[in-house]
Amino acid sequence: MPAISSSAPGKIILFGEHAVVYHRPAIAVPVHHLQTKVYLTANPTAPSGQVKIHAPDIGLNATLAELPDQHPFSLLFKLIRQHFRITRIPAVHIKIKSDIPIASGLGSGTAVSVALIRGIAQFLAAEINDQDVSDIAYEVEKIYHGTPSGIDNTVISYEQPVYYVKGEKPVLVAVPRVMQFAIGISGVRSKTSKAVAQVRDFREREEEFVESLFDEIGEISFKARKVLEEGSLQELGSLMNSNHLLLERLGVSNKVLNTLVNAACASGALGAKLSGAGLGGNVIALVTQSTAAPVQQALLEAGAVFVYLTKLHAAC
Ligand code: PMV
């Protein structure tokens, strides 16, 4: 039987990270040219239910039964079996390959979950809708940090720009023109759980101040949705700059990220900010055809270990 394959994109958060955990709106977009791919091949000679997973990027080569119950894959397959109301999956060999860098705020873990859910659905010749994919991936996100907002699993499952408020139905945002971003990878791996815990502690100490930052960030996301729909690049860039300053005041930026953001702006980006949990990970800069190369160069000179240039395509 030929291998079945499925995939899921990376993502960047354009506006509203952290505040989104506290029910303020945020906006995220998929990064289509970074993909996680899974390949599934039936293994009729193996005992039924045996799921063998080979993920060289994370050094994993094991059967599901060999993994501890707390492993994200153990939970993921349990939820998949529950969703499709089956007790076991026919024996299968799964290979996972990803070009999304790990722990860089680009949704690598979530993309693996989403690609696997879709791949297993195909393998079982079953249908699954985007929201169900997203709901399963969300449960797995909780292993990584206890209180995820749900924005990562939503944007990666829908594969479209989303305006997201925790607990509400996501709104898909139609962007009227191509937008280009430079994504600078800081090389500092950051744990989302650590940044989220730091913000939680800050809020416990200074509730009024932190809530006012969340309000301001929420306002920016609210305005940005309209600006995105209108396609005004100048305004979008200036909202990104304002969002970055607020994230800095929230304590999730650092010298490395600020240096990258400043370098992007000084070399012609229309705006730049950290994206994702912060304390490391990545920065994003809004660029044009003519500023993409100089901004990419400036980010590299300022210490980025890698810079991706990516396009957000216009809605048809
Ligand atoms: O590090 P990332 O890209 O997974 O970003 C997390 C975004 C936060 O708002 C910090 C957390 C969340 O659950 O939304």
Side-chain angles (χ1 to χ4, degrees), residues 11 13 17-18 20-21 105-106 145 147-152 192 196 276-277:
K11 69 98 211 340
I13 297 183
E17 49 274 269
H18 287 290
V20 69
V21 176
L106 294 171
H145 77 101
T147 56
S149 65
I151 191 166
D152 283 14
T192 304
V196 169

